[in-house]
Amino acid sequence: MELKPLHIVNAQLVDAETPRAGSLLVIDGRIAALDPTETPEGTQIVDAKGQWLAPGIIDLGVFATDKPAFHFGGITRAALMPDAGPLDDPGLVERAAKGGKPDLWVHPLAAATKGLAGRELAEIGLMKSAGARAIATGRTRIADSGVMRRVLAYAAALGLVTMIHAEDEGLTAGAVATDGEMATRLGLASAPAIAEAMAIARDLALVEETGAPVHFRQVTTARGLDLIRAAKAKGLPVLCGITPAHLFLSDTAIGDFRTFARLSPPLRSEDDRQACLAAVADGTIDVLSSGHDPRGPEDKRLPFAEALPGMAGAETLLALGLNLVRDGHVSPGRLFDMLAATPACLLGLDAGRLAVGKDADLILIDDGTPWQVDAKKMAAYAGNTPFDGMPVQGRATAMWKGGMRVR
Amino acid sequence: MTSATTRPASDYPPGGDAFRHRHLIGIAQLTPWEISYVLDAAEQWVELNRSGAAKHDDRLAGLTIINAFFENSTRTLLSFEIAGKRLGADVVNMHAAQSSVKKGETLIDTAMTLNAMRADAMVIRHASSGAVQLIADKVDCPVLNAGDGRHEHPTQALLDALTIRRRLGRVEGLTIAICGDVLHSRVARSNILALTLLGNEVRIVAPPTLTPPAVDRMHVTTFTDMDEGLKDADVVMMLRLQNERMDGAYLPSAREYHALYGLTPKRLEKAKPDAIVMHPGPMNRGVEIDSNVADHPTRSTITEQVEMGVAVRMACLDILTRRKRGVPGWN
């Protein structure tokens, strides 16, 4: 299908700290010019009516390819965690990579070890050839330090970032919540929050030794963030991320045994939540992702400890990200660094920014429209959101993938 | 004794306002006067239960009560069964630990099945914290929590409060030491809530490995040294120690536990001279409690607790079914 050139006019371009009035020209699926003075004949014109024009969200670390939810949320690319499958074989990786095309690109994250069992190296090189752009340890960390060290060195030599889940399994065994008043009152097995910092400390030592680049998918505690901050100051190749849940909810959200708030890592204390917000503001946290993990009633309509962790996050990611802007924690430009530019960089994608030559993955955002999160009316194939009932503002109103209108 | 330990009925709001709950899920939902109301109501059942051969009051005649126990139990199940039968209800027991739950049916599906059988009240025990609440949210009848995981065991706390009140004449302003495996104990959680709510000083005495995190936020003081924790206590409440805790993960051995945390006659001397000794049962004699303490004729309340258990459960079943039975003022 021949794509006509596209000129989006009357937009607020999100290509710097604050959105600025401008227009953007797309030719052959790529951004051809910002504020062009002339456009080719036959160019289709779209009036943005003053809405924000931003890069499509690149959701780093989702657990399901859930196109309706991604499209609702303005997500044009998703990096798929290797847990389903697991993605430890080049054939599976190739198939997963084709999963969403053309209107959603899925970037599979290769399993670091065979079967994600944490014992033997997976065929990381072959999976890279099959389309994997990074590797991941999955929902848990690699317990064996020797295996982890070899994984890091091996992936680094192939130019791949290792995405890590950081929780010490000895401390978290059997736990479904963070130590604290809430877990104690509810009678839930809990683990100390330092389980995260302990895991991060080990892996940072390995990073320092191997020089391998890593991304801690979720860092959710003050002590964990302190370690990341110090590692960055030292110049180690370390990135870290978070989901909106740990920025806007503390462990009080598990009161009444709400299984939609059962997450991994678990929701933390209010002090840790405040530390996470501060780390977003000071740049310690690099990536904001949805952790999208839709789970039906068979996994969630259970007693809390028997329910599986995870939340459907894709649809609320943008609106909750805009909350960070409204609350003054980040600028719009920095929000889209966290949502698109940094994930693109980590995955080695030529996308994620409004710049000439980048893939025209674009979204229009009405940043003011209020709406209410409703678990019963979600586009995702399950509505397990811990934000059920929360009033939010802002949503994607139009979306292009590689210059092609998706919605 | 009855008159000294109960309040006049005029102390309470009329009718259903005296106990505004559809279910009894936990002590956490109750106010101090609602606890008193249940305890006062239980007094009449203590009298009835002691009144010789005919222990029947048929106010629940025609009602069906299902005791659904998803976790093994002997004494609590028996206590609820007797309570229901003495009030004239048709009581059915379901031992779900060996039923369709094992075949993969979800808890909610089981609950809906029981609901469809038109029970007038359900008494539920489950090994998972929050499971009873989950069922209560789905069924049409009152639900009584007979223990959910480590969360709550409200009728145990009520019967303990009643026992204390009858023995010591009051259940406020006392110093009460709860000793043992607090971490895994729903009995401890419900008792902490009830006894602090009623205005007592509650202490937790437990090894650090069995002390819940941040438990001081529940308005208790914690002790790891038992002698210190028992000092001048009015009530020493022992908890059962599950055998599987003694395998090295939480505690080195039973004999070490006994040496450090067993209630011996010598250790009991630290408490007030007339302090009472409680245990929810079943006991591990020689581990958390010595036999000559457990069997002490004046200080041990262990069998009395069992007796109060039936009375308190009769009171709870009566109160929670009043709406259904159309008792005036309860709608």
Side-chain angles (χ1 to χ4, degrees):
Chain A
M1 185 177 70
E2 188 70 15
L3 277 175
K4 276 199 245 174
L6 168 70
H7 191 198
I8 302 172
V9 300
N10 196 15
Q12 293 283 326
L13 301 188
V14 185
D15 67 344
E17 282 290 292
T18 46
R20 60 171 182 91
S23 75
L24 181 144
L25 180 66
V26 176
I27 297 176
D28 291 335
R30 287 181 180 274
I31 298 171
L34 300 176
D35 304 314
T37 46
E38 52 187 44
T39 56
E41 205 164 314
T43 296
Q44 185 200 355
I45 294 173
V46 170
D47 184 351
K49 296 181 177 145
Q51 297 182 93
W52 290 12
L53 179 61
I57 294 171
I58 301 172
D59 196 354
L60 193 62
V62 301
F63 290 90
T65 302
D66 188 357
K67 201 183 279 188
F70 294 149
H71 283 174
F72 182 98
I75 294 162
T76 48
R77 297 171 187 254
L80 179 66
M81 289 292 283
D83 298 78
L87 301 176
D88 64 349
D89 173 271
L92 294 174
V93 167
E94 198 171 345
R95 181 138 45 103
K98 287 177 182 155
K101 283 180 182 175
D103 50 352
L104 168 77
W105 280 20
V106 175
H107 300 291
L109 300 164
T113 56
K114 285 179 186 154
L116 281 176
R119 285 188 290 273
E120 304 157 80
L121 296 186
E123 291 172 325
I124 297 169
L126 293 179
M127 288 192 281
K128 182 188 176 188
S129 307
R133 290 182 168 271
I135 68 166
T137 65
R139 291 182 190 274
T140 57
R141 74 162 183 168
I142 293 172
D144 185 316
S145 307
V147 174
M148 186 61 180
R149 179 166 176 263
R150 292 190 286 276
V151 162
L152 289 176
Y154 196 86
L158 291 166
L160 298 177
V161 175
T162 302
M163 285 177 53
I164 300 171
H165 179 92
E167 278 187 294
D168 181 280
E169 60 290 328
L171 286 172
T172 57
V176 297
T178 303
D179 276 1
E181 181 182 355
M182 189 50 71
T184 289
R185 282 185 184 271
L186 294 176
L188 294 172
S190 59
I194 55 155
E196 179 177 281
M198 285 181 57
I200 290 172
R202 181 199 73 172
D203 289 343
L204 287 177
L206 293 173
V207 167
E208 195 162 7
E209 209 229 10
T210 58
V214 298
H215 172 65
F216 293 96
R217 197 166 61 83
Q218 300 181 79
V219 181
T220 59
T221 61
R223 294 185 68 165
L225 289 162
D226 284 346
L227 291 173
I228 301 284
R229 209 173 270 124
K232 288 183 166 190
K234 248 190 216 176
L236 297 185
V238 173
L239 296 173
C240 75
I242 197 164
T243 74
H246 289 95
L247 293 172
F248 293 109
L249 301 173
S250 67
D251 62 355
T252 53
I254 66 173
D256 292 332
F257 300 98
R258 290 179 62 224
T259 58
F260 285 3
R262 167 132 201 241
L263 305 175
S264 169
L267 289 172
R268 305 296 192 185
S269 70
E270 178 61 16
D271 287 348
D272 278 332
R273 184 181 85 89
Q274 294 295 340
C276 291
L277 284 171
V280 163
D282 75 11
T284 304
I285 291 176
D286 304 282
V287 172
L288 182 66
S289 62
S290 75
H292 192 62
D293 195 3
R295 299 218 185 246
E298 67 281 5
D299 291 334
K300 284 292 190 184
R301 213 167 66 176
L302 295 168
F304 192 88
E306 292 165 32
L308 295 177
M311 62 171 167
E315 287 158 84
T316 51
L317 176 62
L318 175 60
L320 294 168
L322 290 169
N323 262 2
L324 294 173
V325 174
R326 250 185 307 274
D327 292 349
H329 299 294
V330 295
S331 66
R334 163 104 164 101
L335 173 63
F336 278 87
D337 284 350
M338 293 198 295
L339 289 172
T342 308
C345 181
L346 188 152
L347 296 169
L349 303 172
D350 205 11
R353 287 198 294 126
L354 301 187
V356 173
K358 299 287 178 193
D359 278 359
D361 298 352
L362 305 168
I363 51 175
L364 280 182
I365 299 165
D366 176 349
D367 69 309
T369 307
W371 57 287
Q372 190 170 22
V373 182
D374 184 344
K376 292 190 184 69
K377 291 181 193 161
M378 306 243 311
Y381 68 75
N384 52 312
T385 171
F387 295 104
D388 189 23
M390 182 187 262
V392 291
Q393 260 180 289
R395 70 204 303 172
T397 56
M399 180 168 166
W400 292 265
K401 173 78 199 77
M404 185 179 76
R405 183 84 181 240
V406 175
R407 56 177 279 249
Chain B
M1 187 181 274
T2 306
S3 59
T5 56
T6 59
R7 301 173 186 215
S10 57
D11 259 19
Y12 299 105
D17 286 344
F19 192 87
R20 291 182 167 196
H21 302 278
R22 215 167 97 76
H23 309 291
L24 179 64
I25 302 299
I27 300 295
Q29 289 87 34
L30 303 185
T31 59
W33 62 88
E34 284 169 334
I35 294 176
S36 296
Y37 184 74
V38 176
L39 302 189
D40 289 354
E43 293 282 0
Q44 64 167 305
W45 303 120
V46 177
E47 299 302 315
L48 178 77
N49 291 339
R50 288 179 176 178
S51 67
K55 302 184 184 64
H56 246 268
D57 178 295
D58 283 335
R59 63 181 65 190
L60 299 197
L63 267 55
T64 304
I65 296 172
I66 299 182
N67 293 327
F69 277 55
F70 296 87
E71 187 186 62
N72 288 328
S73 158
T74 315
R75 33 179 77 220
T76 305
L77 177 58
L78 203 55
S79 181
F80 268 109
E81 184 173 1
I82 290 170
K85 286 184 169 163
R86 289 209 178 138
L87 292 171
D90 299 317
V91 181
V92 187
N93 295 333
M94 186 184 96
H95 304 270
Q98 66 258 130
S99 72
S100 54
V101 180
K102 284 256 162 86
K103 295 171 195 154
E105 187 179 52
T106 69
L107 182 60
I108 301 259
D109 290 338
T110 309
M112 295 316 289
T113 304
L114 298 181
N115 193 47
M117 293 176 187
R118 304 262 171 212
D120 298 297
M122 284 188 206
V123 178
I124 296 167
R125 167 170 287 194
H126 196 281
S128 214
S129 301
V132 177
Q133 174 77 61
L134 188 67
I135 293 175
D137 290 344
K138 304 282 174 196
V139 299
D140 302 317
C141 66
V143 168
L144 285 83
N145 183 359
D148 63 324
R150 311 174 181 185
H151 178 222
E152 283 232 39
H153 191 354
T155 56
Q156 179 73 43
L158 293 169
L159 75 88
D160 286 339
L162 182 61
T163 306
I164 295 169
R165 198 174 79 169
R166 289 176 64 96
R167 271 298 183 102
L168 302 179
R170 63 195 162 108
V171 57
E172 57 182 282
L174 301 173
T175 300
I176 300 169
I178 301 177
C179 312
D181 183 1
V182 179
L183 179 64
H184 298 97
S185 176
R186 55 192 170 217
V187 173
R189 277 176 185 71
S190 286
N191 264 312
I192 290 170
L193 290 169
L195 295 170
T196 53
L197 200 59
L198 295 173
N200 300 282
E201 184 204 330
V202 177
R203 301 174 181 171
I204 296 300
V205 182
T209 49
L210 295 175
T211 302
V215 72
D216 52 308
R217 299 294 299 271
M218 296 181 77
H219 313 293
V220 298
T221 42
T222 57
F223 294 83
T224 51
D225 181 305
M226 188 148 181
D227 290 339
E228 224 175 284
L230 294 191
K231 196 158 175 277
D232 297 328
D234 297 290
V235 177
V236 180
M237 187 180 282
M238 302 303 298
L239 299 170
R240 175 176 164 73
L241 184 70
Q242 308 279 347
N243 287 325
E244 62 264 30
R245 311 291 177 221
M246 293 181 277
D247 59 6
Y250 290 91
L251 297 169
S253 66
R255 65 177 189 177
E256 175 154 329
Y257 185 75
H258 180 257
L260 296 180
Y261 295 98
L263 187 63
T264 59
K266 190 166 174 349
R267 218 164 240 148
L268 186 56
E269 285 171 18
K270 305 283 178 197
K272 284 201 181 142
D274 56 349
I276 58 170
V277 175
M278 309 181 77
H279 194 299
M283 286 180 282
N284 297 305
R285 289 169 180 268
V287 182
E288 73 259 14
I289 191 165
D290 276 15
S291 279
N292 41 11
V293 175
D295 301 333
H296 194 284
T298 57
R299 303 184 72 175
S300 167
T301 66
I302 294 167
T303 50
E304 196 176 332
Q305 286 171 270
V306 177
E307 184 190 1
M308 294 307 124
V310 176
V312 155
R313 284 160 187 140
M314 288 170 81
C316 292
L317 288 171
D318 170 28
I319 291 168
L320 288 172
T321 55
R322 281 182 193 168
R323 193 160 294 138
K324 184 107 185 182
R325 291 183 283 125
V327 175
W330 293 72
N331 40 35

PDB file of all heavy atoms in Angstrom, chain A residues 100-118:
ATOM      1  N   GLY A 100       2.416  -8.517  16.218  1.00  0.00           N
ATOM      2  CA  GLY A 100       1.507  -7.373  16.152  1.00  0.00           C
ATOM      3  C   GLY A 100       1.469  -6.657  14.829  1.00  0.00           C
ATOM      4  O   GLY A 100       0.655  -5.763  14.627  1.00  0.00           O
ATOM      5  N   LYS A 101       2.351  -6.983  13.922  1.00  0.00           N
ATOM      6  CA  LYS A 101       2.493  -6.197  12.700  1.00  0.00           C
ATOM      7  C   LYS A 101       1.220  -6.237  11.868  1.00  0.00           C
ATOM      8  O   LYS A 101       0.508  -7.214  11.902  1.00  0.00           O
ATOM      9  CB  LYS A 101       3.691  -6.709  11.892  1.00  0.00           C
ATOM     10  CG  LYS A 101       4.992  -6.209  12.505  1.00  0.00           C
ATOM     11  CD  LYS A 101       6.199  -6.697  11.742  1.00  0.00           C
ATOM     12  CE  LYS A 101       7.463  -6.186  12.454  1.00  0.00           C
ATOM     13  NZ  LYS A 101       8.706  -6.682  11.883  1.00  0.00           N
ATOM     14  N   PRO A 102       0.915  -5.160  11.117  1.00  0.00           N
ATOM     15  CA  PRO A 102       1.769  -3.985  10.944  1.00  0.00           C
ATOM     16  C   PRO A 102       1.525  -2.860  11.932  1.00  0.00           C
ATOM     17  O   PRO A 102       2.350  -1.969  12.046  1.00  0.00           O
ATOM     18  CB  PRO A 102       1.369  -3.511   9.541  1.00  0.00           C
ATOM     19  CG  PRO A 102      -0.083  -3.846   9.454  1.00  0.00           C
ATOM     20  CD  PRO A 102      -0.261  -5.120  10.247  1.00  0.00           C
ATOM     21  N   ASP A 103       0.369  -2.898  12.645  1.00  0.00           N
ATOM     22  CA  ASP A 103       0.023  -1.687  13.388  1.00  0.00           C
ATOM     23  C   ASP A 103       0.531  -1.673  14.826  1.00  0.00           C
ATOM     24  O   ASP A 103       0.274  -0.759  15.570  1.00  0.00           O
ATOM     25  CB  ASP A 103      -1.496  -1.451  13.345  1.00  0.00           C
ATOM     26  CG  ASP A 103      -2.270  -2.696  13.718  1.00  0.00           C
ATOM     27  OD1 ASP A 103      -1.641  -3.760  13.865  1.00  0.00           O
ATOM     28  OD2 ASP A 103      -3.497  -2.611  13.855  1.00  0.00           O
ATOM     29  N   LEU A 104       1.208  -2.730  15.226  1.00  0.00           N
ATOM     30  CA  LEU A 104       1.866  -2.734  16.544  1.00  0.00           C
ATOM     31  C   LEU A 104       3.143  -3.533  16.367  1.00  0.00           C
ATOM     32  O   LEU A 104       3.120  -4.631  15.808  1.00  0.00           O
ATOM     33  CB  LEU A 104       0.973  -3.416  17.591  1.00  0.00           C
ATOM     34  CG  LEU A 104       1.667  -3.721  18.914  1.00  0.00           C
ATOM     35  CD1 LEU A 104       1.799  -2.462  19.736  1.00  0.00           C
ATOM     36  CD2 LEU A 104       0.923  -4.782  19.702  1.00  0.00           C
ATOM     37  N   TRP A 105       4.252  -2.961  16.776  1.00  0.00           N
ATOM     38  CA  TRP A 105       5.479  -3.735  16.691  1.00  0.00           C
ATOM     39  C   TRP A 105       5.834  -4.304  18.047  1.00  0.00           C
ATOM     40  O   TRP A 105       5.903  -3.584  19.042  1.00  0.00           O
ATOM     41  CB  TRP A 105       6.625  -2.872  16.134  1.00  0.00           C
ATOM     42  CG  TRP A 105       6.528  -2.761  14.639  1.00  0.00           C
ATOM     43  CD1 TRP A 105       5.423  -2.991  13.880  1.00  0.00           C
ATOM     44  CD2 TRP A 105       7.566  -2.381  13.743  1.00  0.00           C
ATOM     45  NE1 TRP A 105       5.699  -2.781  12.554  1.00  0.00           N
ATOM     46  CE2 TRP A 105       7.006  -2.405  12.434  1.00  0.00           C
ATOM     47  CE3 TRP A 105       8.906  -2.014  13.905  1.00  0.00           C
ATOM     48  CZ2 TRP A 105       7.757  -2.089  11.307  1.00  0.00           C
ATOM     49  CZ3 TRP A 105       9.646  -1.690  12.776  1.00  0.00           C
ATOM     50  CH2 TRP A 105       9.078  -1.733  11.484  1.00  0.00           C
ATOM     51  N   VAL A 106       6.042  -5.627  18.029  1.00  0.00           N
ATOM     52  CA  VAL A 106       6.409  -6.321  19.261  1.00  0.00           C
ATOM     53  C   VAL A 106       7.895  -6.636  19.203  1.00  0.00           C
ATOM     54  O   VAL A 106       8.364  -7.229  18.228  1.00  0.00           O
ATOM     55  CB  VAL A 106       5.593  -7.621  19.428  1.00  0.00           C
ATOM     56  CG1 VAL A 106       6.065  -8.388  20.648  1.00  0.00           C
ATOM     57  CG2 VAL A 106       4.110  -7.304  19.530  1.00  0.00           C
ATOM     58  N   HIS A 107       8.611  -6.223  20.215  1.00  0.00           N
ATOM     59  CA  HIS A 107      10.039  -6.531  20.287  1.00  0.00           C
ATOM     60  C   HIS A 107      10.251  -7.555  21.391  1.00  0.00           C
ATOM     61  O   HIS A 107      10.209  -7.209  22.576  1.00  0.00           O
ATOM     62  CB  HIS A 107      10.833  -5.258  20.578  1.00  0.00           C
ATOM     63  CG  HIS A 107      10.657  -4.208  19.525  1.00  0.00           C
ATOM     64  ND1 HIS A 107      11.154  -4.349  18.246  1.00  0.00           N
ATOM     65  CD2 HIS A 107      10.011  -3.021  19.548  1.00  0.00           C
ATOM     66  CE1 HIS A 107      10.830  -3.286  17.528  1.00  0.00           C
ATOM     67  NE2 HIS A 107      10.137  -2.471  18.286  1.00  0.00           N
ATOM     68  N   PRO A 108      10.447  -8.810  21.020  1.00  0.00           N
ATOM     69  CA  PRO A 108      10.587  -9.828  22.064  1.00  0.00           C
ATOM     70  C   PRO A 108      11.888  -9.641  22.834  1.00  0.00           C
ATOM     71  O   PRO A 108      12.918  -9.307  22.253  1.00  0.00           O
ATOM     72  CB  PRO A 108      10.621 -11.150  21.290  1.00  0.00           C
ATOM     73  CG  PRO A 108      10.464 -10.809  19.849  1.00  0.00           C
ATOM     74  CD  PRO A 108      10.599  -9.352  19.670  1.00  0.00           C
ATOM     75  N   LEU A 109      11.778  -9.853  24.127  1.00  0.00           N
ATOM     76  CA  LEU A 109      12.967  -9.872  24.974  1.00  0.00           C
ATOM     77  C   LEU A 109      13.336 -11.333  25.163  1.00  0.00           C
ATOM     78  O   LEU A 109      12.518 -12.131  25.620  1.00  0.00           O
ATOM     79  CB  LEU A 109      12.663  -9.206  26.319  1.00  0.00           C
ATOM     80  CG  LEU A 109      12.214  -7.746  26.228  1.00  0.00           C
ATOM     81  CD1 LEU A 109      11.576  -7.290  27.535  1.00  0.00           C
ATOM     82  CD2 LEU A 109      13.387  -6.854  25.853  1.00  0.00           C
ATOM     83  N   ALA A 110      14.541 -11.682  24.805  1.00  0.00           N
ATOM     84  CA  ALA A 110      14.939 -13.086  24.857  1.00  0.00           C
ATOM     85  C   ALA A 110      15.156 -13.533  26.295  1.00  0.00           C
ATOM     86  O   ALA A 110      15.656 -12.775  27.128  1.00  0.00           O
ATOM     87  CB  ALA A 110      16.226 -13.283  24.056  1.00  0.00           C
ATOM     88  N   ALA A 111      14.776 -14.774  26.560  1.00  0.00           N
ATOM     89  CA  ALA A 111      15.046 -15.334  27.882  1.00  0.00           C
ATOM     90  C   ALA A 111      16.554 -15.453  28.073  1.00  0.00           C
ATOM     91  O   ALA A 111      17.266 -15.927  27.188  1.00  0.00           O
ATOM     92  CB  ALA A 111      14.392 -16.705  28.010  1.00  0.00           C
ATOM     93  N   ALA A 112      17.028 -15.016  29.226  1.00  0.00           N
ATOM     94  CA  ALA A 112      18.470 -15.055  29.481  1.00  0.00           C
ATOM     95  C   ALA A 112      18.959 -16.486  29.644  1.00  0.00           C
ATOM     96  O   ALA A 112      20.078 -16.816  29.256  1.00  0.00           O
ATOM     97  CB  ALA A 112      18.789 -14.237  30.731  1.00  0.00           C
ATOM     98  N   THR A 113      18.110 -17.327  30.217  1.00  0.00           N
ATOM     99  CA  THR A 113      18.515 -18.718  30.452  1.00  0.00           C
ATOM    100  C   THR A 113      17.454 -19.662  29.893  1.00  0.00           C
ATOM    101  O   THR A 113      16.297 -19.275  29.723  1.00  0.00           O
ATOM    102  CB  THR A 113      18.692 -19.003  31.962  1.00  0.00           C
ATOM    103  OG1 THR A 113      17.473 -18.684  32.634  1.00  0.00           O
ATOM    104  CG2 THR A 113      19.827 -18.171  32.549  1.00  0.00           C
ATOM    105  N   LYS A 114      17.869 -20.886  29.634  1.00  0.00           N
ATOM    106  CA  LYS A 114      16.944 -21.878  29.083  1.00  0.00           C
ATOM    107  C   LYS A 114      15.778 -22.093  30.019  1.00  0.00           C
ATOM    108  O   LYS A 114      15.959 -22.366  31.207  1.00  0.00           O
ATOM    109  CB  LYS A 114      17.674 -23.202  28.849  1.00  0.00           C
ATOM    110  CG  LYS A 114      18.566 -23.153  27.629  1.00  0.00           C
ATOM    111  CD  LYS A 114      19.306 -24.462  27.395  1.00  0.00           C
ATOM    112  CE  LYS A 114      20.293 -24.251  26.243  1.00  0.00           C
ATOM    113  NZ  LYS A 114      21.447 -25.155  26.281  1.00  0.00           N
ATOM    114  N   GLY A 115      14.586 -21.978  29.483  1.00  0.00           N
ATOM    115  CA  GLY A 115      13.377 -22.162  30.286  1.00  0.00           C
ATOM    116  C   GLY A 115      13.240 -21.129  31.384  1.00  0.00           C
ATOM    117  O   GLY A 115      12.432 -21.305  32.291  1.00  0.00           O
ATOM    118  N   LEU A 116      14.014 -20.071  31.317  1.00  0.00           N
ATOM    119  CA  LEU A 116      14.082 -19.058  32.388  1.00  0.00           C
ATOM    120  C   LEU A 116      14.364 -19.703  33.741  1.00  0.00           C
ATOM    121  O   LEU A 116      13.965 -19.189  34.781  1.00  0.00           O
ATOM    122  CB  LEU A 116      12.784 -18.236  32.462  1.00  0.00           C
ATOM    123  CG  LEU A 116      12.616 -17.125  31.431  1.00  0.00           C
ATOM    124  CD1 LEU A 116      11.242 -16.478  31.578  1.00  0.00           C
ATOM    125  CD2 LEU A 116      13.700 -16.059  31.545  1.00  0.00           C
ATOM    126  N   ALA A 117      15.034 -20.827  33.703  1.00  0.00           N
ATOM    127  CA  ALA A 117      15.266 -21.571  34.938  1.00  0.00           C
ATOM    128  C   ALA A 117      16.456 -21.033  35.718  1.00  0.00           C
ATOM    129  O   ALA A 117      16.689 -21.424  36.859  1.00  0.00           O
ATOM    130  CB  ALA A 117      15.462 -23.049  34.632  1.00  0.00           C
ATOM    131  N   GLY A 118      17.238 -20.164  35.082  1.00  0.00           N
ATOM    132  CA  GLY A 118      18.350 -19.560  35.815  1.00  0.00           C
ATOM    133  C   GLY A 118      19.569 -20.449  35.928  1.00  0.00           C
ATOM    134  O   GLY A 118      20.417 -20.221  36.792  1.00  0.00           O
TER     135      GLY A 118
END
